[in-house]
Amino acid sequence: MNTTAVSSPRVFLSPLPARHTPLLAELDRWVAQGWLRALDRSFAAFLSQQAPDADPLLILGAALASHQLGRGHACLDLRAALADAVQALSMPPEGVARDTPEGMPTPTPPSTLLAGVTLAKWNKALRHPALVAAGPGATPLVHAGDRLYLRRYWQYEISVSEAIARRVAMPTPSAAPEAQAGLAAALDALFERRDGAATDWQKIACAIAVKQSFSIITGGPGTGKTTTVVRLLAVLLHLALSTDDGTARRLRIRLAAPTGKAAARLNESIAGAVARLPLDGLPDAEALRASIPTEVTTVHRLLGSRPDTRHFRHNARNPLPLDLLVLDEASMLDLEMMASVFAALPPHARLILLGDKDQLASVEAGAVLGDLCARADAGHYSVDTAAWLQAVTGEFFDPELCDAKGTPLDQAVVKLRVSHRFSAQSGIGQLAEAVNAGNDFAVQRTFDKPYPDVSRQWPVDDATLRRLVVDGAPEGFAGQGRGRVEHGNRQVAPPVGYRHYLTLMRERQPKIDAPQPDFDAWAQEVLTAYGQFQLLCALRSGPQGVEGLNLRIAALLRAEGLLEGEHGGWYPGRPVLVTRNDYGLGLMNGDVGVTLSLPTTLPSDPHPRWTLRVAFATGDGKGGIHWVLPSRLRSVETVFAMTVHKSQGSEFTHTALLLPERPSPIVTRELVYTGITRARHWFTLAAAPEVLRTAIARRVDRVGGLAARLGGLRAVET
């Protein structure tokens, strides 16, 4: 029994209304149990102070609506909460029960508290003009249909949906009939005609994005999202350079991603794709190649973060100086951030979103990309759209993807449907597809076949964990992973664990008197080697969460003689993950560095001595290294184990996914799919069959009204 009493913070000096005292006391018990956040209880108490006459059901609804934000939902669905009250709370958090603090009564389950409450009764209780409005106003809550919002998030939904509606209805010069021939010629020059072959969805995606002021290109790993957007930029720049008035020659393009890691990865991909662009068929080839931007920034840096505020330097009053914005890894963008992006866009600017709609949604509230792409699988293209695409691309697609009632948003979304990374012989591709479809039989068949690039480890005891994280457990793969080749008969290195980078770190370290470029090159080698393996998990806390696993893995590596002892928490080889943007150091949330020994000379001692520095890749595609003193890193954590959420935007040669021993609400189909698709060549699953089966049957269902608002856009006339 936990003997530590837990209480919610008190921030109000005046007494709480007697009408609300029993409810607020119950909320205290929920906070102590871990079902509710102290912040949510404080919000309820604040509203109680502001409106002592409010119905307790209103105060309860406000606490639950606040709590939903912390769980990624934009609002509280009243109907769903009455049907299953447990789903409106974190019960228990991350699947781990918490003892009731000594001296505090056992909390009343929410189902008991809501027993006998009907939807009509709850809706009636929300009629309080000082606290709740049905739309615009100054009240802290908005009651829209059967949803209860904190006003800020209701406003985000409204602004995002209205911005998208305006942009999908906005004509672009490239869509004009007189521009059709030039667009068709540019597309033919960039995309090889493949008569009788499968539909070239990359070419279709380019055409759609040229036609629209707002567009989305979605697709799984290896479907060519980056290749597509580089060719799209080439088309737009070519059309701009071909105009007579010269205004479009000043086309200003910016590229951004949610995290530093995602930005660095896109930077490298864009640079490579630009170098490979087939521009020979265009008259302005060299000018085009030089005009395509390769620098990628984070969304926060693009908008101009203001420290300690939610606001940005660029907004509706100070829009971004650009004509086209490309946002990669858009599944990671939450509702608030997307509203900030739209607010900062100039009215004339294009916005293109790239991302995998089936990945995990953002950590913060909202599932914007998922809502926008909810109908992408079935296409829903109008007859006019299909005819226009055929005219400018020469491509035909399945008539079943046409829909006379397709909405304007449907015409702006393209799903890339062919993976160029994973062939039919790839277990990673087959496993990801089976998980995404929720097909447990196909999942089991993938492991039974077996495919050469997937393996399963279970149970995960200390010996199994050691084999996996130290050497990558290659015995789980056919032929221990030797002899595999990929495109062009290039040999694929066998799967490895963390021994690989730690051994390279020790054996390749330059001598203490070596020049700095040698240490930069060594650090780049170590960082590349570190990316050969990554252990992912679902939880943060507990023995199978990142906190417990990082301690266990460090101990295992020390037992193998691969790590030294700690010095104030730091040691050579310690990998760290940046958890908060640090603009002073030039580090972004998601950046990964490795601690290394670097020679330093002090003014008082001319002889160099070894000191610890953390090496980060500069992320500019040039292979530079940014060295940082450990003492300057305030927001980092050890990253032998990483949550799947934190891994988004990253890719590892060998990825291992460890699921908890028991089913958890945190472990969903999207989490497993995202973990699998972080693997480039090798994937190991460490999970009990029943846990995996439960996970792929459970989908993330973010509560919000954005999808309904977007679905309400007027249908396309055909």
Side-chain angles (χ1 to χ4, degrees):
M1 176 75 71
N2 186 345
T3 59
T4 303
V6 179
S7 61
S8 185
R10 297 294 195 272
V11 294
F12 304 101
L13 298 178
S14 56
L16 293 168
R19 187 182 190 191
H20 302 149
T21 300
L23 170 64
L24 293 172
E26 191 61 61
L27 297 186
D28 280 336
R29 291 190 280 274
W30 286 6
V31 171
Q33 195 70 18
W35 296 354
L36 197 71
R37 301 178 301 174
L39 173 67
D40 309 323
R41 192 269 181 202
S42 294
F43 179 60
F46 169 76
L47 295 185
S48 173
Q49 292 280 350
Q50 299 302 306
D53 61 332
D55 192 303
L57 275 176
L58 189 160
I59 304 301
L60 174 62
L64 295 178
S66 173
H67 186 67
Q68 290 293 75
L69 293 178
R71 304 177 66 230
H73 304 294
C75 61
L76 172 68
D77 186 323
L78 302 172
R79 187 184 299 273
L82 290 175
D84 186 2
V86 170
Q87 295 304 313
L89 291 175
S90 298
M91 296 181 58
E94 292 199 344
V96 180
R98 183 185 296 183
D99 292 333
T100 302
E102 187 172 316
M104 181 171 285
T106 302
T108 303
S111 55
T112 301
L113 208 61
L114 290 171
V117 176
T118 64
L119 183 60
K121 182 178 179 180
W122 208 347
N123 282 330
K124 183 179 180 181
L126 295 174
R127 296 172 187 167
H128 194 293
L131 298 183
V132 187
T139 59
L141 299 170
V142 175
H143 183 202
D146 294 332
R147 301 186 183 96
L148 183 63
Y149 291 84
L150 272 64
R151 172 165 295 282
R152 193 154 48 89
Y153 282 85
W154 175 83
Q155 187 59 57
Y156 293 150
E157 275 195 3
I158 294 295
S159 62
V160 168
S161 60
E162 289 181 349
I164 291 174
R166 284 194 301 271
R167 289 181 182 278
V168 296
M170 186 188 305
T172 66
S174 306
E178 58 270 20
Q180 185 168 307
L183 173 58
L187 290 172
D188 284 344
L190 286 164
F191 292 90
E192 182 182 354
R193 276 197 178 273
R194 304 178 302 172
D195 295 333
T199 301
D200 190 339
W201 285 101
Q202 293 185 13
K203 191 175 185 181
I204 287 176
C206 275
I208 287 286
V210 169
K211 185 174 187 280
Q212 305 283 154
S213 292
F214 171 78
S215 57
I216 302 172
I217 301 173
T218 186
T223 51
K225 295 184 290 294
T226 302
T227 299
T228 302
V229 80
V230 168
R231 296 188 182 194
L232 167 62
L233 297 180
V235 169
L236 289 170
L237 286 166
H238 167 72
L239 295 176
L241 290 168
S242 301
T243 60
D244 294 329
D245 59 15
T247 56
R249 291 176 182 270
R250 297 189 296 271
L251 195 62
R252 298 165 299 174
I253 302 172
R254 295 298 303 272
L255 311 173
T259 67
K261 184 68 174 177
R265 183 179 167 200
L266 179 61
N267 193 314
E268 294 172 2
S269 299
I270 289 277
V274 169
R276 296 188 300 269
L277 261 180
L279 296 174
D280 294 341
L282 296 175
D284 45 6
E286 292 311 310
L288 280 181
R289 201 181 303 276
S291 299
I292 297 175
T294 57
E295 181 182 348
V296 185
T297 186
T298 64
V299 179
H300 281 85
R301 188 181 291 276
L302 174 78
L303 295 178
S305 290
R306 290 179 170 176
D308 303 319
T309 76
R310 310 182 77 97
H311 304 295
F312 296 97
R313 185 165 56 87
H314 289 290
N315 49 40
R317 294 183 298 277
N318 180 31
L320 291 161
L322 52 78
D323 304 303
L324 167 62
L325 175 60
V326 177
L327 293 182
D328 193 24
E329 296 290 351
S331 62
M332 301 170 68
L333 292 172
D334 59 85
L335 184 61
E336 180 178 5
M337 182 57 71
M338 193 65 79
S340 297
V341 168
F342 275 114
L345 277 182
H348 73 280
R350 296 175 187 262
L351 176 63
I352 300 169
L353 302 182
L354 305 179
D356 186 343
K357 68 181 180 64
D358 298 314
Q359 281 190 22
L360 280 169
S362 57
V363 175
E364 303 299 331
V368 180
L369 188 70
D371 287 341
L372 296 178
C373 298
R375 289 157 55 93
D377 289 342
H380 297 283
Y381 296 116
S382 70
V383 173
D384 286 348
T385 296
W388 183 85
L389 286 171
Q390 195 278 322
V392 298
T393 68
E395 298 290 327
F396 295 87
F397 49 80
D398 192 332
E400 291 187 0
L401 297 177
C402 291
D403 181 0
K405 296 182 179 180
T407 69
L409 178 60
D410 293 329
Q411 317 313 303
V413 180
V414 181
K415 177 184 175 182
L416 303 181
R417 300 167 188 265
V418 179
S419 176
H420 303 282
R421 181 186 306 170
F422 302 127
S423 66
Q425 288 72 46
S426 166
I428 296 174
Q430 297 298 315
L431 184 62
E433 183 178 337
V435 167
N436 202 23
N439 189 334
D440 180 62
F441 175 76
V443 169
Q444 299 307 318
R445 187 175 57 197
T446 302
F447 285 112
D448 292 341
K449 190 166 181 178
Y451 287 91
D453 54 349
V454 296
S455 74
R456 169 180 276 174
Q457 298 286 329
W458 192 260
V460 182
D461 52 20
D462 284 343
T464 303
L465 182 64
R466 187 198 65 77
R467 289 195 303 272
L468 183 59
V469 300
V470 174
D471 292 310
E475 68 277 2
F477 298 94
Q480 295 198 336
R482 296 188 179 90
R484 273 192 64 214
V485 294
E486 61 170 357
H487 309 297
N489 291 324
R490 190 174 71 88
Q491 195 80 14
V492 177
V496 297
Y498 290 132
R499 183 194 298 275
H500 175 64
Y501 92 90
L502 291 170
T503 301
L504 184 145
M505 177 189 73
R506 185 168 50 205
E507 294 180 349
R508 301 283 185 89
Q509 183 178 20
K511 294 181 179 180
I512 197 167
D513 57 353
Q516 185 60 43
D518 288 2
F519 284 95
D520 291 347
W522 168 61
Q524 186 61 61
E525 280 189 285
V526 173
L527 287 167
T528 300
Y530 171 78
Q532 299 296 298
F533 175 77
Q534 182 65 60
L535 179 68
L536 304 179
C537 56
L539 310 179
R540 285 204 57 82
S541 59
Q544 292 179 314
V546 292
E547 295 170 1
L549 281 169
N550 277 314
L551 294 173
R552 291 173 64 191
I553 294 169
L556 287 170
L557 295 173
R558 284 196 179 90
E560 293 287 324
L562 296 170
L563 288 181
E564 299 177 11
E566 295 189 22
H567 304 283
W570 292 92
Y571 47 88
R574 181 192 177 193
V576 294
L577 175 76
V578 177
T579 58
R580 184 179 299 177
N581 293 342
D582 189 328
Y583 296 103
L585 293 177
L587 297 175
M588 298 292 111
N589 179 21
D591 285 349
V592 172
V594 175
T595 311
L596 300 172
S597 293
L598 192 69
T600 303
T601 302
L602 301 176
S604 58
D605 184 357
H607 301 288
R609 63 181 64 187
W610 293 112
T611 57
L612 294 180
R613 296 288 189 275
V614 184
F616 294 91
T618 54
D620 56 5
K622 299 177 182 178
I625 294 294
H626 181 34
W627 296 92
V628 182
L629 275 168
S631 59
R632 299 191 65 192
L633 295 170
R634 302 300 183 187
S635 300
V636 295
E637 58 187 32
T638 303
V639 71
F640 290 119
M642 178 189 292
T643 62
V644 176
H645 266 108
K646 288 290 187 181
S647 75
Q648 287 183 269
S650 301
E651 184 179 277
F652 311 99
T653 305
H654 178 197
T655 300
L657 175 62
L658 174 66
L659 299 184
E661 293 179 347
R662 294 181 297 276
S664 165
I666 301 294
V667 186
T668 63
R669 182 185 306 178
E670 290 82 358
L671 182 139
V672 176
Y673 171 83
T674 303
I676 295 168
T677 54
R678 299 311 88 205
R680 184 169 184 84
H681 291 304
W682 307 100
F683 177 73
T684 299
L685 178 67
E690 62 272 18
V691 172
L692 178 62
R693 189 176 303 114
T694 302
I696 65 175
R698 180 187 290 122
R699 301 215 63 171
V700 173
D701 186 16
R702 290 284 176 92
V703 178
L706 182 62
R709 296 182 197 282
L710 294 169
L713 296 178
R714 181 178 57 83
V716 175
E717 299 290 341
T718 59

